[in-house]
Structure formats: C-alpha cells, structure tokens
Amino acid sequence: MDLESDLKLFEEHIKDVDNRSICVQQLSRVGGSSVRDCVNKVMNRMMSNALMGKFNMRGGGQLEKKAFKATPLYGVIQDAVKRWSPNATDCEIDAAMAEHLKHAPGRAGGGGYKK
C-alpha cells in the first residue's frame, strides 16, 4: 500500500473475518530469522516506506503522525507474527514495529526526515 486511501480500502477488506484470517495466514508464512526480522518483512510487504513514514506507534509528536496502533493492520501484523512464532511477546513485536516505523523516512522512497 502506498497511500492512506489504500490502507482504508484494506481495512474495509479485513473487516470480514474470513478475509482477515486469510491475510494473517499468508503473512505468517513470510517468516524471518527473528521476531524483529519477521516484523520488518511483513511491514515491508504491506506498506511502502512513504506510508510508514506517516505513522508512529502512538500518534502525535512534532510531525503530527497518525497512530499505527489504532489501525486494524496493527492487529493483523501482531497476529501474523504470533502465528509464526508463538513465543513472541506483544512488547517485542511492538518494539520492532516502532523501530521500523521510526526509520521509514530514511529508507528508499520514505520521503526523508522532516524538521
């Protein structure tokens, strides 16, 4: 997804329980060498760096970013990573997501850091 409108369409799509479970199942197959690696790979599959750059975990801040934790995609990613690694904790997954979102503007296509 490149735009917030794409994210809204996806959120509408996963309101259906069957669609959500299929999405979680497919994303859990992405895997990785660690929980952090799995989170990074799943997030890269779902969102562009430009879109990730508009979010942080809690929202607000100087740049008035949106809260990623408030999106349905957050829950889908949590469930997918937990399905891939049942021992993964919410805290561990959240930390990996926060770090990935934090550095999104600096990656290719992320739009750069604003002052």
Side-chain angles (χ1 to χ4, degrees), residues 1-78:
M1 294 174 275
D2 293 322
L3 305 170
E4 290 180 56
S5 58
D6 297 337
L7 182 60
K8 293 284 184 209
L9 288 172
F10 176 76
E11 289 171 354
E12 287 297 319
H13 179 72
I14 61 171
K15 281 184 180 177
D16 179 60
V17 177
D18 291 335
N19 290 340
R20 187 181 194 285
S21 64
I22 290 168
C23 185
V24 167
Q25 183 180 19
Q26 288 176 337
L27 289 175
S28 69
R29 293 181 184 152
V30 172
S33 60
S34 65
V35 170
R36 179 172 299 273
D37 187 44
C38 182
V39 168
N40 292 346
K41 287 179 177 178
V42 168
M43 290 183 78
N44 285 337
R45 288 241 175 129
M46 295 302 297
M47 302 165 64
S48 68
N49 287 323
L51 183 57
M52 281 189 262
K54 296 178 182 179
F55 289 92
N56 63 25
M57 288 303 281
R58 285 183 261 121
Q62 271 184 309
L63 301 175
E64 298 188 18
K65 293 188 174 187
K66 294 171 180 60
F68 186 68
K69 213 169 189 175
T71 66
L73 180 56
Y74 166 81
V76 168
I77 294 172
Q78 278 269 353

Side-chain angles (χ1 to χ4, degrees), residues 95-106:
M97 282 187 204
E99 193 69 18
H100 199 65
L101 290 170
K102 176 181 175 181
H103 295 291

Side-chain angles (χ1 to χ4, degrees), residues 35-36 39 43 57 74 77-83 85 87-99:
V35 170
R36 179 172 299 273
V39 168
M43 290 183 78
M57 288 303 281
Y74 166 81
I77 294 172
Q78 278 269 353
D79 292 347
V81 175
K82 285 181 186 175
R83 185 175 176 148
S85 174
N87 296 328
T89 64
D90 287 348
C91 186
E92 187 179 18
I93 297 168
D94 282 1
M97 282 187 204
E99 193 69 18

